[in-house]
Amino acid sequence: MSDVALFNMIINPNIIEMEYAVRGPIPQRAAELKKHGRNIIFCNIGNPQALGQRPITYYRQVLSLLEDPDSIGRERNLRSLLNKAGLASKALLSDELLNTAEDILKKMETGMGAYTESRGPAFIRQAIARFIDRRDNIDEEGIPSDPDKIFLTNGASEAVKFILEMMIASPKDGIMIPTPQYPLYSATIKKNGGAQVNYYPDEDSDWNLKKSMLEESIKDAKKQGITVKAIVVINPANPTGAILSEKSMREIIEFAKEHEMAIIADEVYQENVYDGKFISFAKIIGKEAVPLFSLHSISKGFYGECGQRGGYLELRNPPGIKDHACKFLDVLVKQASVSLCSNTAGQLLTYLMVTPPLPGSESYPLFFKEKTQILDDLYEKAEIIRAAFKQMDGMKCFGRIGALYLFPRLEKLPAGTDDFDYCMALLEETGLCTVNGSGFGQKKGTNHLRIAFLPPKEMLKEVLPQWIAFHNKYVNRK
Amino acid sequence: MSDVALFNMIINPNIIEMEYAVRGPIPQRAAELKKHGRNIIFCNIGNPQALGQRPITYYRQVLSLLEDPDSIGRERNLRSLLNKAGLASKALLSDELLNTAEDILKKMETGMGAYTESRGPAFIRQAIARFIDRRDNIDEEGIPSDPDKIFLTNGASEAVKFILEMMIASPKDGIMIPTPQYPLYSATIKKNGGAQVNYYPDEDSDWNLKKSMLEESIKDAKKQGITVKAIVVINPANPTGAILSEKSMREIIEFAKEHEMAIIADEVYQENVYDGKFISFAKIIGKEAVPLFSLHSISKGFYGECGQRGGYLELRNPPGIKDHACKFLDVLVKQASVSLCSNTAGQLLTYLMVTPPLPGSESYPLFFKEKTQILDDLYEKAEIIRAAFKQMDGMKCFGRIGALYLFPRLEKLPAGTDDFDYCMALLEETGLCTVNGSGFGQKKGTNHLRIAFLPPKEMLKEVLPQWIAFHNKYVNRK
């Protein structure tokens, strides 16, 4: 057999065709330029700590104690030694921190190095359920979250793969996804050999979504014999930063109910709503006969712990009220057990995310200060970039500010060029690495780019004037 | 649509059919018993730290410092404070540890909270390549490992899924797996809708493997129109603990070459060879035109860091020598990038696994003591259990001692019962949780069980007499 034949024999053709722009040709070129000494600003991905965001002190101090349980005793020994000598030091951790870590280790039973239950330890799933209930104010009205229907995952990416693998068995199994969308969805549908069914929120009315848009999209899919198993909603949206209205959410639920499909609610940016309030699908959906998978993650929000790969998936309304609800869950548990469990550092950071320090505690003031600073900064940085867009010919940016991204439309481009050419030229000229709109999907004939509003303000102040100059020269060239 | 219909519509039937005995009905029953206060010894899974094995101190101390980089400065402040006061304390970490952590953080650049390169950071992949070269003595002869062809993964389980997803695109795509095997393989083949092609090492000659056995198996597969894409070899083997001879390895390579398929070498138990020496496929395969995927993990060996989910996959001889070798790798990198990256704690423990403290360093004596103690203990515990088998009627255990498991054959069982019934009864009677041989696959008409030889010796001394009594009563009942 020739090499080419062996290559083709071994590799699943779906994987050859699959695309993933967020780490595609432009970021790859950026990495190459960086290797050769160029100063690159990586705005292609929501990776805050790569752009200088410091981790939340409290989270890391607790995690560090958990990874080396002996350190708790060592800290105490040092404190008593210093006390005896009449010395004090800020370098010692507070008793509150040591007690928190000790308390967690007690709950974990087998520490950080053992496989946990496949879904994740029960005490973490219980804490997540309480977090969801608090967030959604279920004391007033609503249905409590069920810890048995929560699965800890290696980031939300793994949750997405988990759900789509569970659903897609044939090329006629369809998943509805927004256009534009985060390419994890299109790539995973492709890899599993399913059908991608696009729907199109309306950019010109701030990416607003109406049931009629969904109806249009499913009509086409049904014509092609596709069974749509689920609709994906990303809220706040990636890449557009748009935030759904409650009205749109209710229309989506109605649509899913009528057409008998599940909802996959990617809510990893739920803390990244800078003006307004996040509303979860879990709160709105009630007991409708619509299976709901909601996702959250430690990678975004104000924590930005991307590399630690923690997250969870919450299931509501599994099909079947008696026997089958149970069986549905059993199947998910079995599927989760093949991966044994998600990583414990990610699990524990997820636990800390849902049990932050409370007002009045010793750790609270610093925690609150760090949290507020990061969220305020993000909003300010988004505004700074949006202001720059106003100085760029034909650069139009819709949407409230949500998530970590801006997704402006390039209304003016030289003939024969598209957003890919523009982003590549922008990178070469200024070192700014963004992603072309076509990497996320977009309405035919439009051009966009996505930029993560993460670089430090000083960096923005330096690069934005360069971008403006580049832009106006590029789009007006003859 | 009825609930049952909605259930069937949503779930991929392959996932409903998939089986995973290691976390199947027997372990589930064990968890239930534990909830009700029974004392259970979980020997169903290789999860050392759940059975009291302590993590290696050096690994955790470094990891703990990495998770909270400020702690390095805090330690130094405390030391200088104590020095000034003329005090000393064993509770301070050594300079060597602090320097090691600092050095790693410098190499990481963006710390533990940022997404890394999808394959994992270059400095870790380089360290892995050097580890492989040392292990395989390539100074004497051999081909150096290439860091560009190494991928860090969330444990070896993710690597297996990664490879099989890449290969399986149709029900006629086959993967050869040993029988018995670790059920991750059968489950993942099933989930991806591929064909499982069994081959049968010879139990009666210590699970020895000959090319003729492989030929027999592929002949059957070809008759059914199956294209075999790869052969899986687990060495040392799970569940049997068997260790392949170099002769068998060469026959496997020859077979793979003749029939044009890849080799997937699951070598996660490479440190768990208690009498003899581990030989890697990477060392033997040379430049044969056989693509080789070798897997390793931090979950086993003497480290047992299962919950931290770290591991790597090394690729050799990708198909195509010039253009296509490159393209093959590009496809793998693209596939890896969809998951963004593996978790950083797992990555860093993998780094520490391949860069252990060197003789002469301050950390070495304790590290060496802990390592030796764990490996010696494992061997001793395996011998204690094997000795107990000799007191059980018709209990026959072949194989050298490798990996973390014994897989004895139950030659005598009451009519109408099988190994599942036996293991369930053993659990109910003694609290000992093992897995029935049928959960791994076995020759028709035979019965086995797998036990992980992990419980502390005192625990074994208590439970083994109970097991012997149970066994002889159970198998001799009328």
Side-chain angles (χ1 to χ4, degrees):
Chain A
M1 198 186 289
S2 76
D3 284 328
V4 180
L6 188 57
F7 174 84
N8 288 330
M9 189 279 283
I10 287 181
I11 293 193
N12 176 346
N14 288 327
I15 296 202
I16 299 179
E17 284 169 31
M18 181 179 82
E19 282 180 16
Y20 197 66
V22 175
R23 296 212 158 182
I26 294 174
Q28 276 166 32
R29 174 69 184 144
E32 223 176 273
L33 289 171
K34 194 183 167 215
K35 237 187 204 163
H36 291 92
R38 268 294 288 279
N39 186 21
I40 301 294
I41 308 176
F42 285 96
C43 295
N44 57 303
I45 192 164
N47 194 9
Q49 296 189 25
L51 284 162
Q53 183 177 308
R54 278 179 55 89
I56 299 290
T57 304
Y58 173 80
Y59 294 164
R60 292 297 195 84
Q61 286 180 339
V62 176
L63 180 60
S64 170
L65 292 168
L66 298 177
E67 288 289 12
D68 179 16
D70 294 344
S71 63
I72 300 173
R74 285 202 311 270
E75 281 278 333
R76 294 215 168 105
N77 285 343
L78 286 170
R79 170 160 335 160
S80 98
L81 187 67
L82 289 176
N83 275 347
K84 273 184 205 156
L87 295 169
S89 169
K90 281 190 185 159
L92 286 171
L93 297 179
S94 73
D95 248 331
E96 187 184 284
L97 277 167
L98 302 181
N99 293 341
T100 302
E102 223 164 26
D103 175 55
I104 294 173
L105 284 169
K106 227 172 268 161
K107 288 177 182 154
M108 289 191 79
E109 292 178 26
T110 51
M112 301 290 283
Y115 294 124
T116 66
E117 217 187 304
S118 300
R119 270 177 292 193
F123 82 95
I124 299 184
R125 291 184 283 109
Q126 285 153 6
I128 292 171
R130 285 193 301 267
F131 160 82
I132 293 170
D133 293 349
R134 267 194 326 269
R135 181 196 67 192
D136 293 348
N137 252 319
I138 74 122
D139 284 349
E140 286 171 22
E141 56 164 347
I143 297 150
S145 170
D146 176 358
D148 281 345
K149 299 200 184 76
I150 290 172
F151 293 73
L152 287 148
T153 53
N154 292 312
S157 300
E158 195 194 36
V160 170
K161 292 199 285 180
F162 181 81
I163 300 166
L164 297 184
E165 278 170 13
M166 185 200 67
M167 293 182 173
I168 298 172
S170 100
K172 293 291 180 192
D173 291 340
I175 306 289
M176 281 179 72
I177 59 175
T179 307
Q181 52 96 39
Y182 177 52
L184 166 63
Y185 291 97
S186 48
T188 308
I189 295 168
K190 185 73 183 165
K191 186 165 84 172
N192 287 287
Q196 171 180 330
V197 178
N198 298 324
Y199 66 88
Y200 297 87
D202 179 25
E203 179 170 14
D204 288 300
S205 63
D206 272 359
W207 302 104
N208 186 27
L209 188 63
K210 288 187 186 152
K211 190 156 169 267
S212 57
M213 301 166 187
L214 303 177
E215 296 290 359
E216 205 174 311
S217 137
I218 202 170
K219 211 171 71 187
D220 282 358
K222 283 188 173 165
K223 254 188 230 157
Q224 295 166 55
I226 292 166
T227 308
V228 175
K229 302 204 153 192
I231 177 168
V232 172
V233 187
I234 314 176
N235 183 44
N238 178 0
T240 65
I243 299 164
L244 280 178
S245 67
E246 189 173 331
K247 184 163 175 292
S248 291
M249 292 170 73
R250 293 202 185 274
E251 290 189 24
I252 294 166
I253 293 168
E254 204 183 304
F255 170 82
K257 192 178 170 191
E258 271 174 38
H259 292 279
E260 293 168 322
M261 65 178 74
I263 296 176
I264 301 169
D266 179 338
E267 301 176 330
V268 301
Y269 297 100
Q270 58 187 263
E271 296 269 10
N272 300 103
V273 177
Y274 307 93
D275 48 359
K277 202 182 148 9
F278 167 74
I279 306 168
S280 77
F281 267 94
K283 184 173 177 68
I284 305 285
I285 206 161
K287 285 189 173 168
E288 291 288 5
V290 177
L292 171 68
F293 299 84
S294 326
L295 317 181
H296 195 11
S297 153
I298 57 169
S299 300
K300 311 300 170 182
F302 55 91
Y303 7 93
E305 293 282 9
C306 301
Q308 306 267 9
R309 316 306 292 121
Y312 71 81
L313 136 65
E314 188 210 16
L315 169 66
R316 297 208 171 205
N317 309 330
I321 294 151
K322 286 170 204 157
D323 294 353
H324 276 78
C326 166
K327 204 178 151 198
F328 190 91
L329 200 60
D330 288 351
V331 173
L332 295 197
V333 171
K334 183 177 67 174
Q335 190 190 348
S337 72
V338 177
S339 305
L340 296 167
C341 68
S342 63
N343 81 89
T344 47
Q347 288 182 357
L348 267 296
L349 284 171
T350 305
Y351 177 74
L352 294 172
M353 173 180 80
V354 299
T355 58
L358 296 177
S361 69
E362 213 172 322
S363 306
Y364 185 75
L366 178 62
F367 172 80
F368 181 77
K369 190 181 141 194
E370 289 177 341
K371 170 182 171 171
T372 313
Q373 178 86 61
I374 289 170
L375 290 174
D376 288 355
D377 250 30
L378 284 170
Y379 188 52
E380 208 182 318
K381 291 189 282 193
E383 290 288 17
I384 291 171
I385 300 173
R386 273 161 77 107
F389 290 161
K390 293 200 176 124
Q391 300 179 55
M392 301 184 194
D393 280 3
M395 192 72 133
K396 210 161 180 182
C397 189
F398 298 92
R400 283 188 276 169
I401 296 174
L404 300 175
Y405 314 102
L406 295 172
F407 193 70
R409 189 161 75 200
L410 294 153
E411 299 200 321
K412 190 174 178 182
L413 279 178
T417 68
D418 60 16
D419 48 19
F420 179 87
D421 305 318
Y422 177 93
C423 292
M424 194 60 105
L426 175 64
L427 168 68
E428 299 280 357
E429 185 74 17
T430 67
L432 193 61
C433 180
T434 59
V435 184
N436 47 307
S438 45
F440 304 93
Q442 55 195 357
K443 264 200 177 149
K444 228 180 153 176
T446 65
N447 287 285
H448 297 79
L449 63 81
R450 188 188 80 167
I451 176 166
F453 44 79
L454 292 165
K457 278 176 262 181
E458 317 78 71
M459 222 184 250
L460 287 178
K461 273 175 202 156
E462 206 182 303
V463 77
L464 287 177
Q466 295 173 39
W467 186 2
I468 295 168
F470 159 82
H471 178 93
N472 292 329
K473 194 171 152 201
Y474 186 91
V475 304
N476 290 309
R477 80 181 190 208
K478 296 289 163 221
Chain B
M1 198 185 290
S2 74
D3 285 328
V4 179
L6 189 58
F7 174 84
N8 288 329
M9 189 277 282
I10 288 181
I11 295 192
N12 175 347
N14 288 328
I15 297 204
I16 299 179
E17 284 170 32
M18 179 180 83
E19 282 180 17
Y20 196 66
V22 174
R23 296 214 157 179
I26 294 173
Q28 276 166 31
R29 175 69 184 143
E32 224 176 273
L33 290 171
K34 196 184 166 216
K35 239 189 203 164
H36 291 92
R38 270 291 292 280
N39 187 18
I40 302 294
I41 308 176
F42 286 95
C43 294
N44 57 302
I45 192 164
N47 194 10
Q49 295 190 25
L51 285 162
Q53 182 177 308
R54 278 179 55 89
I56 298 291
T57 304
Y58 173 80
Y59 293 165
R60 290 298 195 86
Q61 286 180 338
V62 176
L63 180 59
S64 172
L65 292 168
L66 298 177
E67 288 288 11
D68 178 16
D70 293 344
S71 63
I72 300 172
R74 286 203 311 271
E75 282 278 333
R76 293 214 167 107
N77 285 343
L78 286 170
R79 170 163 331 159
S80 100
L81 186 68
L82 289 177
N83 275 347
K84 274 183 204 155
L87 296 169
S89 169
K90 279 189 185 161
L92 287 171
L93 298 179
S94 73
D95 249 332
E96 186 184 283
L97 278 167
L98 302 182
N99 293 340
T100 301
E102 222 164 28
D103 175 55
I104 293 174
L105 283 169
K106 225 173 270 162
K107 287 177 182 154
M108 288 191 82
E109 293 179 27
T110 51
M112 300 291 281
Y115 294 125
T116 66
E117 214 186 308
S118 300
R119 269 177 293 195
F123 82 95
I124 298 184
R125 292 185 282 109
Q126 284 152 8
I128 293 171
R130 286 192 300 267
F131 160 82
I132 293 170
D133 292 349
R134 268 195 324 271
R135 181 197 68 192
D136 293 348
N137 251 320
I138 74 124
D139 284 349
E140 285 171 21
E141 57 164 346
I143 296 149
S145 171
D146 176 358
D148 281 345
K149 299 200 185 75
I150 290 172
F151 292 73
L152 286 147
T153 53
N154 292 312
S157 300
E158 195 193 39
V160 170
K161 291 199 288 179
F162 182 81
I163 300 166
L164 296 185
E165 278 170 13
M166 186 200 68
M167 292 181 173
I168 299 173
S170 100
K172 292 291 179 193
D173 290 341
I175 306 290
M176 282 179 72
I177 59 176
T179 307
Q181 51 98 36
Y182 178 52
L184 166 65
Y185 291 96
S186 49
T188 309
I189 294 168
K190 184 75 185 162
K191 186 165 84 173
N192 287 288
Q196 171 180 332
V197 178
N198 298 323
Y199 65 87
Y200 296 87
D202 179 26
E203 179 170 13
D204 288 300
S205 64
D206 273 1
W207 302 104
N208 186 25
L209 188 61
K210 287 186 186 155
K211 190 157 170 265
S212 57
M213 302 166 188
L214 303 176
E215 297 289 359
E216 205 173 311
S217 138
I218 202 169
K219 211 172 69 189
D220 283 357
K222 284 190 172 163
K223 254 188 231 157
Q224 297 166 53
I226 291 166
T227 310
V228 175
K229 300 204 155 191
I231 177 169
V232 173
V233 188
I234 314 176
N235 183 43
N238 179 0
T240 64
I243 298 163
L244 281 176
S245 67
E246 188 173 331
K247 182 162 177 293
S248 291
M249 292 170 71
R250 293 200 185 277
E251 289 188 24
I252 293 166
I253 294 168
E254 203 183 304
F255 170 82
K257 191 178 172 190
E258 270 175 39
H259 293 279
E260 293 168 323
M261 64 178 76
I263 295 176
I264 301 170
D266 178 339
E267 300 176 331
V268 301
Y269 297 100
Q270 58 188 264
E271 296 269 10
N272 299 103
V273 177
Y274 308 93
D275 48 359
K277 204 182 147 6
F278 166 74
I279 307 169
S280 76
F281 267 93
K283 185 173 177 69
I284 305 286
I285 205 161
K287 287 190 174 166
E288 291 289 2
V290 177
L292 171 69
F293 298 85
S294 325
L295 315 182
H296 195 11
S297 155
I298 57 169
S299 300
K300 311 300 171 186
F302 55 91
Y303 7 92
E305 293 282 10
C306 301
Q308 308 265 10
R309 315 308 291 123
Y312 71 80
L313 135 66
E314 189 211 14
L315 169 66
R316 296 203 172 211
N317 307 330
I321 292 151
K322 285 170 203 156
D323 295 350
H324 277 77
C326 167
K327 202 177 151 198
F328 190 90
L329 201 60
D330 288 349
V331 173
L332 295 196
V333 171
K334 183 176 65 171
Q335 191 190 349
S337 73
V338 177
S339 304
L340 296 166
C341 67
S342 61
N343 81 89
T344 47
Q347 287 182 358
L348 267 296
L349 284 170
T350 306
Y351 176 73
L352 294 171
M353 173 181 82
V354 299
T355 58
L358 297 177
S361 68
E362 214 172 319
S363 308
Y364 186 75
L366 178 62
F367 171 81
F368 182 76
K369 189 181 143 198
E370 290 176 341
K371 169 181 171 172
T372 313
Q373 178 85 58
I374 289 170
L375 290 173
D376 288 356
D377 250 31
L378 284 170
Y379 188 53
E380 209 181 315
K381 292 189 282 192
E383 289 287 17
I384 291 170
I385 301 173
R386 275 161 76 107
F389 291 159
K390 293 199 176 121
Q391 298 178 57
M392 300 183 196
D393 279 6
M395 193 73 136
K396 211 161 180 182
C397 189
F398 299 93
R400 283 188 276 169
I401 297 175
L404 301 175
Y405 313 103
L406 295 172
F407 194 71
R409 188 160 76 199
L410 293 152
E411 298 200 322
K412 191 173 176 182
L413 278 180
T417 68
D418 60 16
D419 47 20
F420 180 86
D421 305 318
Y422 176 93
C423 291
M424 193 61 102
L426 175 64
L427 168 67
E428 300 279 356
E429 185 74 17
T430 66
L432 194 61
C433 181
T434 60
V435 184
N436 48 305
S438 45
F440 304 93
Q442 55 195 355
K443 263 197 179 153
K444 229 180 152 174
T446 66
N447 288 284
H448 297 80
L449 65 80
R450 187 189 81 166
I451 177 167
F453 44 78
L454 292 165
K457 277 176 261 180
E458 316 79 68
M459 223 184 251
L460 287 177
K461 272 175 200 154
E462 206 181 304
V463 77
L464 288 177
Q466 295 172 40
W467 185 1
I468 295 167
F470 158 83
H471 177 95
N472 292 330
K473 195 170 149 202
Y474 186 93
V475 305
N476 291 309
R477 79 182 190 206
K478 295 288 165 230

